[in-house]
């Protein structure tokens, strides 16, 4: 029996994918808290501005400064609305807009101290646009104006009016800075998560590509390659006997033609759905094994006789995956027998047990010592045994090899009836 060499797969690693809609959605969820806070601050600003203007008009009707207060309030509202348009980055336009906004608010506070509490949303605007030190300086300046405005509105000195605005400003600033840091940390974590997910997807695609290549190489080895090898031997035999025994030569050519027809059917089936042609013809695994034995006997042209036996009651619903794998294993094992074992007889024995199906492929060939790394003819391992083992791994089954020099070989493939979860094809060296 031919000894096998571990198959090698080659593939290029897929690069990390570009950010897609799912990634953008994840970042959108991360920014939802910031957007909610911004909307809250915008609403608070216009509420405080409207309340301050209403208070002033109710308490100071008909004063000469009223038109100025109304005009400055409208200007302050317009400048604030321009904030989202100019953005939150410290660009020259946004800095100019912020400076004019603060200047208009200061004039309003000087004319009407009740506008002082509009400073709280301005805190947020400054902290969002300016660098940390400049933002803290602006908060301190706005706080001083608020304290001065509150003292102007009070009848006398009140310590609460001096201490409360700085406390409110400190709390608002601390909360904003904490939220900003959390947002940055969360953004980094999300970026790491997205990068890890892309790398994982690339790894899965790479592993899937390698597994598919391994699967295709096994399919080609067990079908087209074996058929072409048989055709080559038959045509060589026909060439040797063409002059001395034309009848035998023509018989070899006809047999080679039949193999070519079968190979063509295999190739078409391979392109269509990779199902073995013998199984596609109907009759199940038993009929396919009998057809395989007859075909191998005919191809050997008297050098090898292959018999097929079925024991036990056939299972009513043998999974297609099990049938396909066992048939491919039988094809590969018989190809090893034909090419390397030097056997004259081989037997396929399919045994149906209660919870599993067992296929034995036995021959009376040269045999070999499992685990030595070479076959009976001294050659290195091929592709067959790792491919068989990989197929059974997909089914949760096992492959056993019994052989000794001069005593033939028995390959036993055991497949459970319950489907095992399909995993990557990782054929291991039988040694």
């Amino acid at each position: 029996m031919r000894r096998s060499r571990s198959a090698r797969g080659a593939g290029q690693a897929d690069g990390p994918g570009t950010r897609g809609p799912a990634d953008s959605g994840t970042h959108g969820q991360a920014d939802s808290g910031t957007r909610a806070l911004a909307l809250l601050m915008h609403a608070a600003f216009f509420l405080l501005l409207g309340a301050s203007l209403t208070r002033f008009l109710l308490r100071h009707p008909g004063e000469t400064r009223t038109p100025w207060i109304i005009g400055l309030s409208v200007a302050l509202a317009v400048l604030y609305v321009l904030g989202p348009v100019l953005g939150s980055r410290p660009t020259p336009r946004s800095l100019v807009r912020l400076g004019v906004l603060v200047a208009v608010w200061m004039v309003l506070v000087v004319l009407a101290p009740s506008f002082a509490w509009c400073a709280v949303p301005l805190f947020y605007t400054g902290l969002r646009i300016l660098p940390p030190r400049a933002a803290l300086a602006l908060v301190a300046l706005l706080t001083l104006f608020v304290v001065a405005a509150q003292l102007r509105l009070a009848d006398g000195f009140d310590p609460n009016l001096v201490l409360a605005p700085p406390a409110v400003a400190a709390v608002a600033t601390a909360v904003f800075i904490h939220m900003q840091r959390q947002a940055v940390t969360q953004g980094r974590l999300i970026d790491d998560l997205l990068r890890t997910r892309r790398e994982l997807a690339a790894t899965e695609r790479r592993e899937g590509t390698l597994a598919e290549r391994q699967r295709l190489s096994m399919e080609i080895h067990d079908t087209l390659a074996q058929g072409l090898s048989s055709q080559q031997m038959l045509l060589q035999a026909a060439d040797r006997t063409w002059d001395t025994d034309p009848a035998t030569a023509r018989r070899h050519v006809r047999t080679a033609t039949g193999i070519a027809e079968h190979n063509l059917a295999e190739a078409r089936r391979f392109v269509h759905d990779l199902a073995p042609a013998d199984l596609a013809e109907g009759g199940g695994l038993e009929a396919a094994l009998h057809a395989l034995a007859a075909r191998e006997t005919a191809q050997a042209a008297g050098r090898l006789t292959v018999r097929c036996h079925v024991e036990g009651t056939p299972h009513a619903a043998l999974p297609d995956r099990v049938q396909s794998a066992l048939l491919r294993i039988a094809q590969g094992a018989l190809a090893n027998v034909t090419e390397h074992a030097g056997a004259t007889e081989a037997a396929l024995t399919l045994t149906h047990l209660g919870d599993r199906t067992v296929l034995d492929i036995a021959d009376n060939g040269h045999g070999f010592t499992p685990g030595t790394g070479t076959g009976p003819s001294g050659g290195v391992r091929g592709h067959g045994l790792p491919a068989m083992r990989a197929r059974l791994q997909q089914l949760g089954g096992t492959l056993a090899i019994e052989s000794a020099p001069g005593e033939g070989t028995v390959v036993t493939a055991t497949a459970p009836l319950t489907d095992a979860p399909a995993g990557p094809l990782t054929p291991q060296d039988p040694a």
Side-chain angles (χ1 to χ4, degrees):
M1 177 71 71
R2 176 181 59 180
R3 303 306 308 281
S4 299
R5 180 179 55 200
S6 297
R8 296 179 181 177
Q12 294 179 351
D14 293 332
T18 56
R19 180 174 296 176
D23 298 344
S24 300
T26 306
H27 275 282
Q29 293 177 359
D31 294 338
S32 61
T34 302
R35 289 198 300 267
L37 179 60
L39 291 175
L40 178 62
M41 287 297 174
H42 297 336
F45 175 80
F46 288 107
L47 181 63
L48 291 172
L49 181 62
S52 300
L53 180 60
T54 301
R55 182 180 184 277
F56 175 83
L57 294 177
L58 291 176
R59 295 200 175 190
H60 307 280
E63 290 191 5
T64 55
R65 56 177 174 165
T66 300
W68 289 98
I69 297 298
I70 295 176
L72 290 172
S73 298
V74 173
L76 189 64
V78 171
L79 289 170
Y80 194 88
V81 169
L82 291 177
V85 176
L86 295 177
S88 61
R89 295 182 179 180
T91 62
R93 293 181 64 189
S94 63
L95 294 177
V96 171
R97 193 273 307 175
L98 179 60
V100 175
L101 180 67
V102 172
V104 172
W105 173 81
M106 289 181 176
V107 174
L108 264 177
V109 172
V110 171
L111 295 177
S114 57
F115 286 87
W117 287 110
C118 293
V120 175
L122 295 181
F123 290 166
Y124 172 78
T125 303
L127 290 169
R128 191 164 55 97
I129 295 178
L130 297 176
R133 292 186 179 181
L136 293 177
L138 177 62
V139 169
L141 177 63
L142 297 178
T143 304
L144 289 176
F145 264 75
V146 172
V147 172
Q150 294 303 307
L151 291 177
R152 284 178 57 190
L153 292 175
D155 296 333
F157 178 79
D158 188 347
N160 286 333
L161 298 179
V162 177
L163 298 177
V168 172
V171 171
T173 302
V175 170
F176 177 82
I177 292 176
H178 177 69
M179 291 183 62
Q180 195 174 41
R181 289 177 178 175
Q182 278 191 327
V184 172
T185 302
Q186 187 178 19
R188 291 175 179 172
L189 291 175
I190 291 175
D191 289 338
D192 290 341
L193 177 62
L194 293 177
R195 182 172 60 255
T196 302
R197 188 171 66 179
R198 289 193 295 268
E199 292 174 354
L200 178 60
T203 301
E204 291 176 349
R205 287 194 298 271
R206 182 168 59 252
E207 291 178 351
T209 300
L210 294 176
E212 184 66 9
R213 289 179 178 177
Q214 179 64 36
R215 185 173 69 90
L216 292 177
S217 68
M218 291 189 300
E219 294 289 346
I220 294 172
H221 174 272
D222 292 341
T223 56
L224 303 181
Q226 305 295 356
L228 291 173
S229 176
S230 298
Q231 292 176 55
Q232 182 185 31
M233 289 188 298
L234 287 169
L235 293 176
Q236 289 173 347
D239 182 65
R240 288 193 300 268
T241 60
W242 191 265
D243 296 327
T244 58
D245 192 353
T248 301
R250 284 193 292 271
R251 186 171 63 253
H252 288 332
V253 172
R254 286 193 297 270
T255 304
T257 302
I259 296 173
E261 292 177 355
H262 182 78
N263 258 22
L264 180 60
E266 285 280 9
R268 289 171 176 169
R269 181 64 59 178
F270 183 77
V271 172
H272 183 260
D273 57 6
L274 300 182
D278 287 332
L279 289 177
E281 294 174 357
L285 179 61
E286 293 80 4
L289 290 175
H290 280 290
L292 174 64
R295 188 166 58 251
E296 290 292 335
T297 300
Q299 293 174 9
R303 297 187 307 273
L304 174 67
T305 301
V306 182
R307 296 185 301 274
C308 181
H309 308 280
V310 178
E311 299 179 359
T313 303
H315 298 290
L318 191 63
D320 292 340
R321 294 175 62 228
V322 174
Q323 296 187 59
S324 178
L326 291 179
L327 180 57
R328 294 301 193 203
I329 289 172
Q331 289 174 335
L334 288 179
N336 287 349
V337 172
T338 301
E339 297 177 18
H340 302 282
T344 59
E345 294 184 359
L348 300 176
T349 304
L350 182 66
T351 305
H352 296 286
L353 301 177
D355 58 347
R356 63 191 183 276
T357 299
V358 180
L359 175 65
D360 294 307
I361 305 97
D363 68 76
N364 64 348
H366 303 310
F368 62 95
T369 302
T372 59
T374 58
S377 60
V380 295
R381 303 175 192 272
H383 187 81
L385 294 180
M388 298 177 198
R389 198 178 300 276
R391 289 185 187 279
L392 289 170
Q393 281 183 345
Q394 288 282 294
L395 303 174
T398 57
L399 182 73
I401 302 173
E402 298 179 6
S403 184
E407 297 184 7
T409 301
V410 177
V411 176
T412 301
T414 304
L417 295 186
T418 56
D419 283 341
L425 297 177
T426 54
Q428 302 294 325
D429 197 296

